Amino acid sequence: MKIPQIRLESRFARIGIETVNAKLSIEQKPADLSIQQPKAELTIRTTPGKLTIDQSKAREDVDLKHISKRIEEAADMGRQDLLSGIARRIRQGDEQMRIENGGRPLTAQAKSNSERPEKQFNIGFIPSHFSVKLAYQPAEVEIDVKTNKPIIESTTNKPDMNYEAGDVKIHLAERNQLKIDFVI
C-alpha cells in the first residue's frame, strides 16, 4: 500500500549587501616657521701687565749716581770729615798739653798727619746681588658675554580634509520559496 507523501522543499530568502567604502583624505601643510638668532654681545676689557724695574741701586754700585744722591753723600762725608778732624785736633791738643809727661808728641803727630791711610781692597761684585728690583703686576682680562634668545615665530596651517561618505545597499537577492509536492 502506498501512502501519499507530502514533500516540502524550502529555500530561505537571501539578502544581498553592497558596500561602498568611505574615503577620507587628509593633507597637512607644514607649519610656517621663522627662526632668527641675534648675535651674542661680547665685551673684552684688558688691563695691560706692568713691569717695573728699579736699577737705581745697581747704578749707584757702579758709581752712576743721581746728582741729588751725590750731593747727599758729599754732605755726609763732609760732616764725618769735620767731626773726625775736630776729634783729631782735640786729641792732639791734649797730647801737646801733656808734653811734660815725656815722649815726642809733636814728631809723632807730624808723622801721622803726613801719612795717608792705607787703602783697603776687597773682592766684591759690581753691582751687588739683588740690586736690581723687579716688580710685575700681571694683566687682567674681563670678558662679558650677553646671550640673546632666539626669536621663533610659527604659524600652524589647518589640515585639508576631504571626506566621501560610504554607502551600504541592501537588497533581496533571492526570495524565499516553499515548494510543496504530493507524491502518491
Side-chain angles (χ1 to χ4, degrees):
M1 166 161 156
K2 286 192 171 192
I3 300 177
Q5 294 183 352
I6 299 177
R7 288 190 188 168
L8 300 172
E9 188 178 321
S10 66
R11 282 192 205 171
F12 293 106
R14 286 189 325 163
I15 299 174
I17 301 175
E18 290 180 23
T19 59
V20 176
N21 291 332
K23 291 182 183 176
L24 176 64
S25 67
I26 301 174
E27 185 179 319
Q28 176 67 55
K29 293 181 184 175
D32 296 328
L33 187 62
S34 168
I35 300 175
Q36 295 176 1
Q37 176 65 59
K39 293 182 181 177
E41 297 173 22
L42 179 67
T43 305
I44 300 175
R45 286 184 294 282
T46 303
T47 304
K50 184 176 181 181
L51 176 64
T52 305
I53 301 173
D54 182 8
Q55 59 183 5
S56 57
K57 175 75 171 104
R59 291 178 63 84
E60 289 174 8
D61 288 350
V62 294
D63 202 30
L64 295 172
K65 301 175 185 171
H66 191 268
I67 188 68
S68 61
K69 184 74 172 174
R70 285 195 186 277
I71 291 171
E72 183 182 332
E73 287 179 356
D76 285 343
M77 189 182 298
R79 191 176 302 110
Q80 289 296 338
D81 288 347
L82 174 69
L83 292 176
S84 67
I86 291 172
R88 181 178 55 84
R89 284 181 181 82
I90 290 172
R91 188 183 73 251
Q92 288 177 353
D94 286 345
E95 288 175 359
Q96 288 176 10
M97 276 190 338
R98 293 187 191 91
I99 199 165
E100 69 273 0
N101 292 340
R104 301 177 63 166
L106 290 176
T107 54
Q109 288 175 4
K111 182 179 178 190
S112 69
N113 287 344
S114 65
E115 293 177 348
R116 291 188 180 219
E118 197 174 302
K119 297 276 184 186
Q120 297 292 323
F121 179 74
N122 197 355
I123 296 175
F125 294 100
I126 297 176
S128 60
H129 287 299
F130 305 112
S131 60
V132 177
K133 305 245 186 305
L134 299 174
Y136 178 68
Q137 181 180 4
E140 293 180 9
V141 178
E142 293 179 30
I143 300 174
D144 292 329
V145 178
K146 180 185 173 193
T147 58
N148 294 317
K149 292 184 177 181
I151 301 168
I152 300 173
E153 296 175 358
S154 63
T155 305
T156 58
N157 293 319
K158 292 184 178 180
D160 292 331
M161 299 175 67
N162 291 324
Y163 177 71
E164 292 179 20
D167 192 17
V168 177
K169 295 181 181 175
I170 301 175
H171 62 281
L172 188 59
E174 190 176 323
R175 293 187 169 271
N176 57 346
Q177 292 180 357
L178 180 60
K179 197 176 181 189
I180 303 172
D181 285 335
F182 295 100
V183 178
I184 306 186

